[in-house]
Amino acid sequence: MINDAQSNNKNNRKFGLVLGAVLAVMALYQYIKAQPAWPYFACCSLVLLALGSIKPSWLSVPRMLWEKLSHYLGYINTHIWLTLIYILVFVPINLIFKMIGRDPLNRKYLNRHNSYWLTEDKPTVSSSLKKQF
């Protein structure tokens, strides 16, 4: 049980320090670009860095909520990206292949063939395996 608590504190500490550092970089960028939101990023960064360093057990609930949010966003993004890739890449390629009559998998059924077995004209390896190298 102690190892679980130590592991949780270690993960909470990592969560606080990494997210605090990312927010600090965002605050610095906002400050350089003279954006009005930089104090909010800086305050959140300081709070996360302090809690991650001093009392990481307080970050259990925020870390759990962050992980749930990232899980749902990952699920949604994966489905959106895979759908867009399918629609924008594979559907046009399929339509082009159908228009030009290309069948790269050779799937057309032809009655005149007794077998669809493909034989090679020239063997790729020598018939004798005595001198392989």
Side-chain angles (χ1 to χ4, degrees), residues 32-45:
I32 291 171
K33 292 292 184 179
Q35 298 292 325
W38 75 267
Y40 302 111
F41 286 107
C43 287
C44 291
S45 169

Side-chain angles (χ1 to χ4, degrees), residues 125-133:
V125 292
S126 65
S127 59
S128 171
L129 298 176
K130 290 182 181 178
K131 294 184 180 180
Q132 296 180 23
F133 302 104

